[in-house]
mmCIF file of all heavy atoms in Angstrom:
data_model
loop_
_atom_site.group_PDB
_atom_site.id
_atom_site.type_symbol
_atom_site.label_atom_id
_atom_site.label_comp_id
_atom_site.label_asym_id
_atom_site.label_seq_id
_atom_site.Cartn_x
_atom_site.Cartn_y
_atom_site.Cartn_z
ATOM 1 N N GLU B 169 32.479 -2.537 -6.345
ATOM 2 C CA GLU B 169 31.684 -3.409 -5.465
ATOM 3 C C GLU B 169 31.264 -2.657 -4.216
ATOM 4 O O GLU B 169 32.021 -1.836 -3.692
ATOM 5 C CB GLU B 169 32.532 -4.620 -5.036
ATOM 6 C CG GLU B 169 32.895 -5.577 -6.152
ATOM 7 C CD GLU B 169 31.683 -6.304 -6.710
ATOM 8 O OE1 GLU B 169 30.792 -6.685 -5.908
ATOM 9 O OE2 GLU B 169 31.617 -6.465 -7.950
ATOM 10 N N GLY B 170 30.062 -2.934 -3.751
ATOM 11 C CA GLY B 170 29.650 -2.493 -2.427
ATOM 12 C C GLY B 170 29.445 -1.000 -2.263
ATOM 13 O O GLY B 170 29.623 -0.462 -1.174
ATOM 14 N N LEU B 171 29.071 -0.341 -3.360
ATOM 15 C CA LEU B 171 28.798 1.089 -3.250
ATOM 16 C C LEU B 171 27.310 1.318 -3.009
ATOM 17 O O LEU B 171 26.470 0.754 -3.706
ATOM 18 C CB LEU B 171 29.201 1.806 -4.540
ATOM 19 C CG LEU B 171 30.674 1.744 -4.931
ATOM 20 C CD1 LEU B 171 30.908 2.555 -6.209
ATOM 21 C CD2 LEU B 171 31.543 2.262 -3.802
ATOM 22 N N GLY B 172 26.973 2.143 -2.033
ATOM 23 C CA GLY B 172 25.573 2.482 -1.778
ATOM 24 C C GLY B 172 25.192 3.760 -2.491
ATOM 25 O O GLY B 172 26.054 4.524 -2.939
ATOM 26 N N GLY B 173 23.889 4.005 -2.603
ATOM 27 C CA GLY B 173 23.416 5.180 -3.325
ATOM 28 C C GLY B 173 22.774 6.225 -2.434
ATOM 29 O O GLY B 173 22.198 7.192 -2.922
ATOM 30 N N GLN B 174 22.879 6.043 -1.119
ATOM 31 C CA GLN B 174 22.190 6.975 -0.216
ATOM 32 C C GLN B 174 23.161 8.031 0.309
ATOM 33 O O GLN B 174 23.599 7.984 1.453
ATOM 34 C CB GLN B 174 21.550 6.201 0.935
ATOM 35 C CG GLN B 174 20.459 5.240 0.491
ATOM 36 C CD GLN B 174 19.248 5.975 -0.088
ATOM 37 O OE1 GLN B 174 19.055 7.161 0.166
ATOM 38 N NE2 GLN B 174 18.453 5.271 -0.876
ATOM 39 N N VAL B 175 23.484 8.955 -0.568
ATOM 40 C CA VAL B 175 24.423 10.013 -0.195
ATOM 41 C C VAL B 175 23.786 11.363 -0.521
ATOM 42 O O VAL B 175 23.174 11.544 -1.578
ATOM 43 C CB VAL B 175 25.766 9.857 -0.965
ATOM 44 C CG1 VAL B 175 26.720 10.993 -0.623
ATOM 45 C CG2 VAL B 175 26.400 8.502 -0.653
ATOM 46 N N ALA B 192 26.795 10.289 3.829
ATOM 47 C CA ALA B 192 25.764 9.254 3.683
ATOM 48 C C ALA B 192 24.513 9.669 4.439
ATOM 49 O O ALA B 192 24.595 10.314 5.485
ATOM 50 C CB ALA B 192 26.287 7.922 4.206
ATOM 51 N N ARG B 193 23.368 9.320 3.883
ATOM 52 C CA ARG B 193 22.115 9.593 4.584
ATOM 53 C C ARG B 193 21.973 8.654 5.764
ATOM 54 O O ARG B 193 22.379 7.500 5.685
ATOM 55 C CB ARG B 193 20.908 9.286 3.688
ATOM 56 C CG ARG B 193 20.721 10.201 2.538
ATOM 57 C CD ARG B 193 19.499 9.725 1.730
ATOM 58 N NE ARG B 193 19.581 10.200 0.375
ATOM 59 C CZ ARG B 193 19.138 11.392 -0.004
ATOM 60 N NH1 ARG B 193 18.566 12.192 0.866
ATOM 61 N NH2 ARG B 193 19.257 11.791 -1.255
ATOM 62 N N PRO B 194 21.332 9.117 6.844
ATOM 63 C CA PRO B 194 20.999 8.174 7.913
ATOM 64 C C PRO B 194 20.039 7.109 7.364
ATOM 65 O O PRO B 194 19.276 7.384 6.435
ATOM 66 C CB PRO B 194 20.300 9.030 8.963
ATOM 67 C CG PRO B 194 20.247 10.410 8.434
ATOM 68 C CD PRO B 194 20.860 10.463 7.079
ATOM 69 N N VAL B 195 20.075 5.936 7.949
ATOM 70 C CA VAL B 195 19.262 4.827 7.445
ATOM 71 C C VAL B 195 17.785 5.179 7.447
ATOM 72 O O VAL B 195 17.058 4.928 6.497
ATOM 73 C CB VAL B 195 19.497 3.547 8.269
ATOM 74 C CG1 VAL B 195 18.500 2.474 7.861
ATOM 75 C CG2 VAL B 195 20.909 3.053 8.044
ATOM 76 N N SER B 207 19.536 0.117 -3.612
ATOM 77 C CA SER B 207 20.560 0.661 -2.739
ATOM 78 C C SER B 207 20.999 -0.282 -1.639
ATOM 79 O O SER B 207 22.075 -0.144 -1.100
ATOM 80 C CB SER B 207 20.049 1.929 -2.087
ATOM 81 O OG SER B 207 19.139 1.598 -1.069
ATOM 82 N N GLY B 208 20.133 -1.226 -1.311
ATOM 83 C CA GLY B 208 20.442 -2.027 -0.145
ATOM 84 C C GLY B 208 20.127 -1.260 1.125
ATOM 85 O O GLY B 208 19.637 -1.809 2.073
ATOM 86 N N GLY B 209 20.376 0.030 1.109
ATOM 87 C CA GLY B 209 19.932 0.913 2.188
ATOM 88 C C GLY B 209 20.827 0.908 3.409
ATOM 89 O O GLY B 209 20.767 1.826 4.189
ATOM 90 N N HIS B 210 21.679 -0.115 3.604
ATOM 91 C CA HIS B 210 22.485 -0.116 4.826
ATOM 92 C C HIS B 210 23.641 0.857 4.661
ATOM 93 O O HIS B 210 24.114 1.136 3.569
ATOM 94 C CB HIS B 210 22.954 -1.516 5.167
ATOM 95 C CG HIS B 210 23.740 -2.146 4.075
ATOM 96 N ND1 HIS B 210 25.090 -1.977 3.942
ATOM 97 C CD2 HIS B 210 23.344 -2.920 3.041
ATOM 98 C CE1 HIS B 210 25.502 -2.663 2.882
ATOM 99 N NE2 HIS B 210 24.467 -3.234 2.313
ATOM 100 N N ASP B 211 24.049 1.387 5.770
ATOM 101 C CA ASP B 211 24.844 2.587 5.737
ATOM 102 C C ASP B 211 26.291 2.426 5.292
ATOM 103 O O ASP B 211 26.841 3.323 4.675
ATOM 104 C CB ASP B 211 24.818 3.219 7.114
ATOM 105 C CG ASP B 211 24.108 4.549 7.012
ATOM 106 O OD1 ASP B 211 23.627 4.850 5.892
ATOM 107 O OD2 ASP B 211 24.068 5.275 7.975
ATOM 108 N N THR B 212 26.905 1.314 5.601
ATOM 109 C CA THR B 212 28.341 1.217 5.324
ATOM 110 C C THR B 212 28.619 1.383 3.832
ATOM 111 O O THR B 212 29.603 2.023 3.453
ATOM 112 C CB THR B 212 28.913 -0.133 5.805
ATOM 113 O OG1 THR B 212 28.119 -1.174 5.242
ATOM 114 C CG2 THR B 212 28.878 -0.230 7.322
ATOM 115 N N SER B 213 27.746 0.855 2.981
ATOM 116 C CA SER B 213 27.984 0.970 1.542
ATOM 117 C C SER B 213 27.854 2.419 1.090
ATOM 118 O O SER B 213 28.619 2.892 0.243
ATOM 119 C CB SER B 213 27.025 0.071 0.767
ATOM 120 O OG SER B 213 25.697 0.490 0.968
ATOM 121 N N SER B 214 26.901 3.129 1.671
ATOM 122 C CA SER B 214 26.749 4.532 1.276
ATOM 123 C C SER B 214 27.858 5.390 1.878
ATOM 124 O O SER B 214 28.265 6.395 1.295
ATOM 125 C CB SER B 214 25.366 5.046 1.677
ATOM 126 O OG SER B 214 24.376 4.401 0.900
ATOM 127 N N GLU B 215 28.355 4.983 3.040
ATOM 128 C CA GLU B 215 29.505 5.706 3.600
ATOM 129 C C GLU B 215 30.730 5.523 2.708
ATOM 130 O O GLU B 215 31.513 6.453 2.508
ATOM 131 C CB GLU B 215 29.802 5.235 5.027
ATOM 132 C CG GLU B 215 28.918 5.960 6.044
ATOM 133 C CD GLU B 215 28.877 5.291 7.398
ATOM 134 O OE1 GLU B 215 29.727 4.409 7.659
ATOM 135 O OE2 GLU B 215 27.987 5.645 8.185
ATOM 136 N N LYS B 216 30.848 4.331 2.157
ATOM 137 C CA LYS B 216 31.940 4.083 1.219
ATOM 138 C C LYS B 216 31.812 5.012 0.011
ATOM 139 O O LYS B 216 32.799 5.622 -0.424
ATOM 140 C CB LYS B 216 31.902 2.610 0.774
ATOM 141 C CG LYS B 216 33.023 2.212 -0.159
ATOM 142 C CD LYS B 216 33.046 0.703 -0.394
ATOM 143 C CE LYS B 216 34.074 0.353 -1.474
ATOM 144 N NZ LYS B 216 34.016 -1.087 -1.843
ATOM 145 N N THR B 217 30.601 5.120 -0.522
ATOM 146 C CA THR B 217 30.377 6.031 -1.652
ATOM 147 C C THR B 217 30.701 7.466 -1.266
ATOM 148 O O THR B 217 31.328 8.212 -2.041
ATOM 149 C CB THR B 217 28.912 5.944 -2.123
ATOM 150 O OG1 THR B 217 28.614 4.587 -2.455
ATOM 151 C CG2 THR B 217 28.660 6.826 -3.338
ATOM 152 N N ALA B 218 30.277 7.857 -0.064
ATOM 153 C CA ALA B 218 30.541 9.231 0.387
ATOM 154 C C ALA B 218 32.045 9.491 0.462
ATOM 155 O O ALA B 218 32.528 10.559 0.055
ATOM 156 C CB ALA B 218 29.869 9.474 1.741
ATOM 157 N N ASP B 219 32.789 8.506 0.961
ATOM 158 C CA ASP B 219 34.242 8.662 1.046
ATOM 159 C C ASP B 219 34.860 8.818 -0.343
ATOM 160 O O ASP B 219 35.774 9.627 -0.549
ATOM 161 C CB ASP B 219 34.869 7.437 1.737
ATOM 162 C CG ASP B 219 34.538 7.402 3.230
ATOM 163 O OD1 ASP B 219 34.092 8.449 3.765
ATOM 164 O OD2 ASP B 219 34.712 6.338 3.846
ATOM 165 N N ILE B 220 34.362 8.022 -1.284
ATOM 166 C CA ILE B 220 34.886 8.105 -2.644
ATOM 167 C C ILE B 220 34.557 9.458 -3.265
ATOM 168 O O ILE B 220 35.389 10.078 -3.934
ATOM 169 C CB ILE B 220 34.338 6.939 -3.499
ATOM 170 C CG1 ILE B 220 34.943 5.632 -3.000
ATOM 171 C CG2 ILE B 220 34.608 7.154 -4.976
ATOM 172 C CD1 ILE B 220 34.231 4.387 -3.487
#
Side-chain angles (χ1 to χ4, degrees):
Chain B
E169 293 293 321
L171 298 182
Q174 296 294 340
V175 178
R193 291 178 203 274
V195 172
S207 76
H210 57 87
D211 245 4
T212 53
S213 64
S214 292
E215 276 164 14
K216 182 172 173 187
T217 304
D219 289 345
I220 291 165

